[in-house]
Amino acid sequence: MLHQETAPSRVATHHISTRLRPGDARGHGSRPPTVSPAGQGLWVSLGGVPVKLLEFDGALREIMDRATSVGASPLGVCSANLDHILHFGAGSRWMGAMAEHASVEWLTLLDGAPLVAEARRLTDQPWPRLAGSDLVEPLLDEAERRGLSVGFLGGTEQAQELIRSRFAAERPDLAIAGWWAPERSVISDEQASLELAAQISATAPDILVVGMGKPRQELWVSKYGRLTGAKILLAFGAVVDFLAGRIRRAPSWISSHGFEWAWRLMLEPRRLARRYLVDGPEAYLKLRQVSAAEVPPTALPAGRKPEDSIIAPAPINNQAPQPFLPAEARAEVAAIVVTYNNADDVGPLISSLRAMTGEQTMKVVVADNSPDDRTMTELGKHSDVISLRTGGNLGYAGGINAAMRVAGPADAYLILNPDLRVEPGAVAALRRRMRLSHAGAVVPVLLENDGSVYPSLRREPSVMRALGDAALGSHLRRRPAWLSEMDFDVEGYQYAHRIEWATGAALLISDEAAQAVGEWDEQFFLYSEETDYCHRLREAGKSIWFEPTARMWHEGGGSGTSPQLTALLSVNRVRYAAKHLGRSRALFFRAAVCAAEIARINKPGHREAARALLRKQLWQTLPHATRSPGLSKGLPTGAVIIPAHNEGKVIGRTLDSLKDVIGTGSVDVIVACNGCTDDTESIASQYRGVKVLHVKEASKTAALNAADDATELWPRLYLDADVELNSEALHAVFKALEAGPLLAARPAFRYDTSGASVLVRAYYRARNRIPGNAQGLWGAGVYAMNAHGHERLGEFPALTGDDYYVDRLFQPAEKAVLATDPVVVRTPRSSRALLAILRRTYRGNQQQGPTRGPLSTSSGAATSTARTLQELAVSVRGPVSACDALVYAAFAVIGRCGAFFTGRASSSWERDESSRQ
């Protein structure tokens, strides 16, 4: 028998048997409340949360009986209020997570005036509030009487010290197992949490009071509670502060009228304002809309054990890697990879996947969208990889579909970006989560180069979320979920849970789900294709889960940037809304996305995005699926002009990249050899269809003007002799300049830093992260103008830096960087060679106008020193990027100072010879 004096002082007790018979229940539910197996208390669903309705003494008895039972599974106890419904109720991130982890059995009790009122409506009888702060003292009384040990986890060391002092005077006979006040970093780290649970287990507590706040305490208890060895785990939130006397309880007349929330808000407005004023109304609506007298089943799936919920770090796999299986053999996992100029990426990815073949049978299928042979050549080194050309650039969705058609049978299909590196055990962890949760798809945690977690989880697009993202962007990351599509919540990346969708860099899809959903929608080309696919998965009744123990590193492809890709990102969001939100909501959604782009119109790429959203006819000019042209068939006319001074080592490589258009009759390819003393002319002359000009003066300006005089075709593309350009990129540039409004354009580019020193690679990594460096016509070694644009130029002036000069002739709306197959720009290999290039570039900028300062972009870019500094600072996201930024700044300062000292007096042509080897 419990001590009767402990309950009346807090909540009046009732005897269940005299209050309600199961057949007497009335209210909103279609069925009577569910009677618990023990015959005591009733189960109802409040806002989607299973809650057991008990009287005060019945709750105490049930908890303490479990504390003294032998062989029973641990019991977790929590109280459900509106905050609990917000986190664990219907449609929430953690819906079902407590039952899913299930390393403990949960007893969720009634708390909060709105839930008490809803329970009364459902059962037609009153039920008491059973808040943790009301229960904890009677439970401690009973633990002291029965000689049970109690441990305290959570709160601050100061609060725990106050409790120690109080218990020494008031509870001298209470057996204390231990006190633990871990930092949040400990709770959020899996290995540290496992060690903490082991430390607690060593003290053998019977009862563990856990006060970490929702949802952290319930998630931690669900995952690690069984490992603590405690029979009872009380997830009672702020109870540590109540026991320490740091928070005053509300007067009884306030609590009895349901206004305890207002009392607590008055005492702690900074901490509780969002919970009660922002999140509270949302949870209350959920409570009224989805409560019922029938509780959905929460039993574990057949064959699943409670300990299955504890997913420890993957053990080291000592089995030797096995060959990948052929297409016709059934594999446990088929990895699907779509490549586009990823010759440098596929090798490391394949190596990381091969290390997993000791854990499961695998096959790897790669669909290559690349315009050249480099990626396929690299894939040819792996004889057991299934690789195929797509016959063009079909985009991400099209590439996945092409690979899936030849992949053959598999239990699951793992969609991967080519620039990922898969950690040991990651694939096995994804498969395990798929099995335990009966998921249709599972996604891993993605890590940046510096080890930070990339926020890859997303919520379903909606008008309100589009408005929230338009107004706030990445600011105010803790805003309500209905105001942000992106999920920034730290807890969301620490525990397994259902999600709505995630970025498509890595996605494991069950064979059953893939068959149910069908092919990926190729209208999206790039961006939003994964949003659409996940939406269709959910429509088919397949759940999508996030598994934090599966880790993959996202290296970044380094393919360059383009305003057209920024525009495509926004346009495809609107395409998605038109497909799934209905006409009226899609119109509002488009307006919200357009407002976001207009608000950021001064940032690179957003001007083009706003124009595309306002003028739907521009959508067809954005990147889309293309098949390789029949070479000369349909290729627009124009000219390619290549000035060359002693470029014998590289001119053949450049002309090889243009082999599809040389000699077609529609494109003039002109090599203007100026002052050459090597074999540049003889090499270029071997290419039938190439016009070779002999210019005596060793002058790039003279070569450009001579080549202009040698052709009458437009547009004209000016290409450095050491830069490689393919026919598809040339096609896109000529097409964009044929009929305005553009006067000048260039293709996207990527840096090839193969063989470069550590410092040079760091410089170009930092340079890639500065948006302004990719928005002008300069810096890529290639640009083009149509006839109207060239009229503004006239002849090329005798200046260094022709690309910078041409870029300054045009307004932003008159020029563009196109999202094409990127040209290959080979960087200097040594620091000395890089500095020579920088000195020449900065000196050329001085000739053309006021200098921009030592930290201007390496081509004397159109951004100011302050702007470049700002973009450089923003690009720093960790130790690696910080070091890269410092290297970039050092090279820029030294290069600028060198240009200042030599000024116009230098007569040497400081060319990089290291990349021409």
Side-chain angles (χ1 to χ4, degrees):
M1 191 72 181
L2 296 178
H3 288 175
Q4 293 297 316
E5 69 273 16
T6 61
S9 63
R10 295 170 176 84
V11 180
T13 61
H14 304 278
H15 293 285
I16 298 171
S17 60
T18 63
R19 298 296 303 176
L20 180 67
R21 296 188 305 274
D24 293 337
R26 296 184 296 276
H28 297 320
S30 59
R31 299 185 185 181
T34 305
V35 180
S36 69
Q40 298 180 349
L42 303 172
W43 284 101
V44 294
S45 176
L46 299 179
V49 173
V51 176
K52 190 171 185 179
L53 304 178
L54 290 166
E55 303 294 344
F56 195 90
D57 57 348
L60 292 178
R61 185 179 300 109
E62 182 162 338
I63 295 170
M64 296 310 300
D65 286 350
R66 180 66 70 89
T68 56
S69 63
V70 178
S73 60
L75 179 68
V77 184
C78 65
S79 296
N81 51 23
L82 286 181
D83 191 41
H84 190 88
I85 289 177
L86 178 77
H87 292 298
F88 297 98
S92 68
R93 175 194 286 114
W94 305 111
M95 179 183 67
M98 293 166 67
E100 175 66 28
H101 287 292
S103 64
V104 299
E105 179 186 341
W106 278 100
L107 171 63
T108 303
L109 302 173
L110 186 66
D111 187 16
L115 278 76
V116 169
E118 188 67 21
R120 180 168 187 160
R121 280 191 288 269
L122 290 174
T123 63
D124 201 28
Q125 77 168 88
W127 294 93
R129 285 184 57 198
L130 300 178
S133 53
D134 293 321
L135 289 167
V136 67
E137 295 278 11
L139 288 171
L140 293 175
D141 291 341
E142 191 64 16
E144 188 174 6
R145 187 179 72 83
R146 299 191 185 193
L148 301 177
S149 63
V150 181
F152 289 84
L153 172 64
T156 64
E157 293 182 358
Q158 294 83 354
Q160 291 184 355
E161 187 60 39
L162 291 173
I163 299 174
R164 277 198 192 95
S165 300
R166 181 190 162 198
F167 282 7
E170 299 178 11
R171 300 183 181 276
D173 296 328
L174 179 64
I176 301 298
W179 305 85
W180 298 272
E183 299 289 338
R184 179 173 294 191
S185 59
V186 173
I187 299 301
S188 62
D189 181 82
E190 179 151 16
Q191 187 58 45
S193 289
L194 291 171
E195 294 173 0
L196 174 62
Q199 293 172 13
I200 296 172
S201 179
T203 67
D206 296 300
I207 299 173
L208 184 65
V209 180
V210 184
M212 302 177 184
K214 295 182 184 294
R216 193 175 303 112
Q217 62 192 12
E218 286 83 1
L219 295 172
W220 196 92
V221 167
S222 294
K223 189 170 184 180
Y224 305 104
R226 188 181 188 88
L227 302 179
T228 65
K231 296 179 180 179
I232 300 294
L233 298 108
L234 304 176
F236 280 174
V239 71
V240 173
D241 289 323
F242 281 114
L243 290 173
R246 302 177 73 172
I247 299 179
R248 287 183 293 160
R249 297 300 309 275
S252 58
W253 65 270
I254 291 180
S255 298
S256 62
H257 287 82
F259 288 105
E260 185 172 356
W261 66 271
W263 171 267
R264 293 194 63 191
L265 178 61
M266 179 188 70
L267 294 179
E268 299 181 90
R270 193 180 192 88
R271 187 174 73 89
L272 298 177
R274 172 176 172 169
R275 178 192 297 182
Y276 291 132
L277 302 181
V278 179
D279 296 334
E282 178 185 352
Y284 182 75
L285 289 175
K286 191 179 298 184
L287 172 69
R288 296 306 308 273
Q289 291 171 355
V290 295
S291 295
E294 181 182 9
V295 178
T298 57
L300 289 174
R304 180 168 166 187
K305 303 175 183 178
E307 55 268 24
D308 287 339
S309 301
I310 305 170
I311 300 183
I316 297 175
N317 175 33
N318 294 319
Q319 299 184 46
Q322 303 297 314
F324 296 126
L325 297 183
E328 61 273 14
R330 186 172 191 89
E332 290 174 302
V333 176
I336 305 296
V337 184
V338 180
T339 56
Y340 182 86
N341 290 336
N342 293 110
D344 297 333
D345 298 312
V346 290
L349 172 62
I350 291 171
S351 296
S352 68
L353 290 174
R354 194 177 297 281
M356 314 267 176
T357 55
E359 299 172 330
Q360 58 263 310
T361 57
M362 296 185 69
K363 64 178 79 169
V364 176
V365 186
V366 182
D368 185 32
N369 280 329
S370 302
D372 57 33
D373 298 330
R374 292 179 65 240
T375 303
M376 290 297 291
T377 299
E378 184 64 31
L379 290 169
K381 300 176 182 178
H382 306 274
S383 59
D384 54 352
V385 170
I386 306 161
S387 58
L388 67 146
R389 295 181 184 274
T390 61
N393 184 5
L394 306 187
Y396 196 57
I400 291 173
N401 291 336
M404 291 286 285
R405 293 183 194 117
V406 303
D411 296 341
Y413 297 89
L414 179 59
I415 312 298
L416 291 174
N417 270 13
D419 56 354
L420 288 177
R421 305 295 174 265
V422 184
E423 270 197 8
V427 177
L430 292 175
R431 294 178 58 230
R432 188 163 186 263
R433 174 54 56 197
M434 180 171 285
R435 174 177 60 84
L436 294 178
S437 302
H438 297 278
V442 187
V443 301
V445 63
L446 300 181
L447 303 174
E448 301 278 20
N449 280 331
D450 59 3
S452 61
V453 174
Y454 172 71
S456 59
L457 304 184
R458 302 289 188 271
R459 304 182 181 97
E460 178 66 11
S462 68
V463 174
M464 290 304 298
R465 285 171 178 155
L467 287 171
D469 291 337
L472 300 171
S474 60
H475 303 289
L476 198 62
R477 293 189 169 194
R478 296 187 67 251
R479 61 183 180 268
W482 49 272
L483 279 177
S484 177
E485 187 175 317
M486 220 166 171
D487 187 349
F488 295 106
D489 192 353
V490 174
E491 261 82 29
Y493 295 88
Q494 295 168 358
Y495 298 93
H497 60 96
R498 289 175 185 254
I499 62 170
E500 294 181 329
W501 68 282
T503 55
L507 178 69
L508 182 70
I509 308 166
S510 70
D511 179 43
E512 180 185 354
Q515 296 295 332
V517 174
E519 293 194 334
W520 292 58
D521 191 340
E522 296 184 21
Q523 73 163 311
F524 293 106
F525 183 70
L526 188 67
Y527 307 127
S528 293
E529 71 280 342
E530 72 269 57
T531 322
D532 171 75
Y533 193 84
C534 290
H535 183 101
R536 291 156 55 205
L537 278 171
R538 299 194 309 274
E539 280 188 333
K542 309 298 181 183
S543 62
I544 308 168
W545 277 77
F546 169 74
E547 177 49 59
T549 63
R551 293 157 50 98
M552 299 187 186
W553 293 79
H554 191 244
E555 302 289 342
S559 299
T561 57
S562 163
Q564 286 207 319
L565 290 179
T566 302
L568 181 65
L569 173 63
S570 294
V571 165
N572 276 358
R573 292 182 65 198
V574 173
R575 283 185 173 129
Y576 175 87
K579 180 177 179 179
H580 294 291
L581 298 186
R583 183 174 181 179
S584 58
R585 284 193 295 163
L587 287 174
F588 285 110
F589 187 91
R590 182 176 179 179
V593 175
C594 188
E597 299 300 339
I598 292 175
R600 298 160 178 80
I601 202 165
N602 291 326
K603 296 184 177 180
H606 293 279
R607 182 184 301 274
E608 290 77 5
R611 290 176 60 222
L613 291 169
L614 293 171
R615 300 177 59 194
K616 192 171 182 178
Q617 59 268 34
L618 293 178
W619 290 14
Q620 62 185 354
T621 66
L622 298 177
H624 56 278
T626 57
R627 293 283 179 181
S628 294
L631 302 182
S632 62
K633 293 182 180 179
L635 187 66
T637 60
V640 177
I641 295 174
I642 307 173
H645 172 70
N646 290 341
E647 299 285 6
K649 294 179 180 178
V650 295
I651 191 63
R653 186 174 65 196
T654 300
L655 293 175
D656 283 340
S657 71
L658 295 168
K659 61 184 179 182
D660 291 339
V661 298
I662 293 174
T664 61
S666 60
V667 177
D668 277 347
V669 178
I670 304 171
V671 178
C673 300
N674 58 102
C676 291
T677 58
D678 66 351
D679 57 352
T680 302
E681 288 187 35
S682 62
I683 293 174
S685 299
Q686 295 173 15
Y687 289 79
R688 183 173 298 179
V690 173
K691 295 182 181 179
V692 181
L693 304 182
H694 178 75
V695 180
K696 293 183 178 181
E697 182 183 2
S699 164
K700 184 178 182 181
T701 300
L704 291 171
N705 289 327
D708 269 341
D709 293 338
T711 182
E712 296 181 355
L713 297 182
W714 298 99
R716 294 178 185 174
L717 183 140
Y718 302 89
L719 181 68
D720 284 357
D722 60 336
V723 174
E724 299 163 49
L725 175 73
N726 60 71
S727 60
E728 188 173 338
L730 179 65
H731 182 286
V733 173
F734 281 1
K735 197 75 174 176
L737 293 175
E738 275 185 338
L742 296 177
L743 301 180
R746 72 159 172 84
F749 72 91
R750 68 179 179 86
Y751 290 121
D752 179 1
T753 58
S754 301
S757 68
V758 173
L759 292 178
V760 171
R761 290 200 302 271
Y763 173 89
Y764 281 99
R765 283 198 302 268
R767 195 179 194 284
N768 262 335
R769 297 187 187 107
I770 300 176
N773 283 344
Q775 306 307 317
L777 300 179
W778 39 262
V782 56
Y783 59 91
M785 292 178 284
N786 58 21
H788 294 298
H790 202 280
E791 286 176 1
R792 191 172 297 178
L793 168 69
E795 284 193 345
F796 283 91
L799 294 171
T800 302
D802 55 289
D803 52 359
Y804 178 48
Y805 179 83
V806 170
D807 181 78
R808 298 175 70 183
L809 297 175
F810 303 102
Q811 296 299 317
E814 298 174 326
K815 59 187 177 182
V817 178
L818 307 178
T820 65
D821 301 324
V823 300
V824 179
V825 179
R826 286 181 166 80
T827 67
R829 289 348 186 202
S830 66
S831 299
R832 181 185 297 273
L834 176 57
L835 287 173
I837 294 297
L838 293 177
R839 284 194 297 268
R840 185 193 73 199
T841 300
Y842 291 138
R843 189 163 55 248
N845 296 346
Q846 294 176 43
Q847 296 175 0
Q848 299 181 38
T851 59
R852 302 284 180 165
L855 287 177
S856 293
T857 59
S858 64
S859 63
T863 56
S864 66
T865 300
R867 175 71 174 272
T868 305
L869 277 170
Q870 181 182 7
E871 292 182 344
L872 187 63
V874 170
S875 72
V876 175
R877 296 184 177 181
V880 174
S881 56
C883 291
D884 292 346
L886 289 174
V887 172
Y888 178 93
F891 272 111
V893 169
I894 296 171
R896 172 65 77 183
C897 291
F900 284 162
F901 290 136
T902 57
R904 293 180 173 85
S906 176
S907 59
S908 62
W909 178 255
E910 296 166 298
R911 184 172 74 174
D912 168 39
E913 295 292 344
S914 64
S915 62
R916 288 171 165 79
Q917 300 303 319

